Amino acid sequence: MYGSAFFIEAPLLALCLWGIQESPRWLTLQAFLAEGKNVTIHAEALAPAMAAARKLTGNDDAAADIMVNEALESLQDNEAGAGPPVASSSSTASLLTSKKLRKPLTIGLGLVLLQQITGQPTVLYFANRIFEDAGLGFEAAAGLGAFKLFATIGASLLVDRAGRRPLLLVGTSVMAL
């Protein structure tokens, strides 16, 4: 079941990744590093970041400008010592000991732990055997996979409008019932 991922899903994912654009923050970082971490960066160096930000904001120049400027200010603050190190100068130890990153790291690890505690990955892994032992057969396992696919697509479409936190709270509450 999971072996098919190596031959089907992984190459498909790799192929689809070619269509993903670079993030405005990453392009801003590249301009920042190329300009020698100067306080002022020429507009030409930020042009790719601005183009990516415009694409993300639906050609809203004001929102794109804010997005790139926030990324640039963050990079400059980090370089001045007000935050975690930038790009290649960071280490795993500095990421684990940073007070600024402690909360996001705790939340992320908590979510992974919550997923494991609910048993969802285990149920999916043994879905064929569980459904066959219950007398339902392969069709039920395939139905569970299809349901998960449609639920994931629906959540992906809804997350932009509703936000991650409300979806997480509702999903966790429904599971608790």
Side-chain angles (χ1 to χ4, degrees), residues 46-64:
L46 290 174
M50 286 298 294
R54 276 191 211 97
K55 189 173 182 181
L56 283 176
T57 60
N59 290 326
D60 184 354
D61 288 336

Side-chain angles (χ1 to χ4, degrees), residues 155 157-169:
L157 297 173
L158 188 61
V159 75
D160 287 336
R161 283 182 274 152
R164 291 182 301 231
R165 188 169 190 269
L167 285 178
L168 178 65
L169 293 173

Side-chain angles (χ1 to χ4, degrees), residues 112-148:
V112 170
L113 181 64
L114 179 67
Q115 181 184 20
Q116 292 300 319
I117 289 172
T118 61
Q120 181 258 354
T122 306
V123 170
L124 289 177
Y125 184 75
F126 292 107
N128 282 342
R129 180 175 288 166
I130 292 169
F131 285 121
E132 283 177 9
D133 288 348
L136 299 173
F138 174 76
E139 293 80 16
L144 176 64
F147 176 78
K148 185 176 179 192

Side-chain angles (χ1 to χ4, degrees), residues 34-46:
E35 293 281 319
K37 300 179 183 178
N38 290 332
V39 174
T40 56
I41 295 181
H42 296 94
E44 307 88 45
L46 290 174

Side-chain angles (χ1 to χ4, degrees), residues 4 14 25 30 37 46 48-50 53 55 59 61 68 77 83 100 102 104 106 128 135 139 143 155-156 172 176:
S4 66
R25 181 169 175 78
Q30 297 309 306
K37 300 179 183 178
L46 290 174
M50 286 298 294
K55 189 173 182 181
N59 290 326
D61 288 336
V68 171
D77 288 345
K100 186 176 184 180
R102 190 168 293 139
T106 303
N128 282 342
E139 293 80 16
S156 298
T172 307

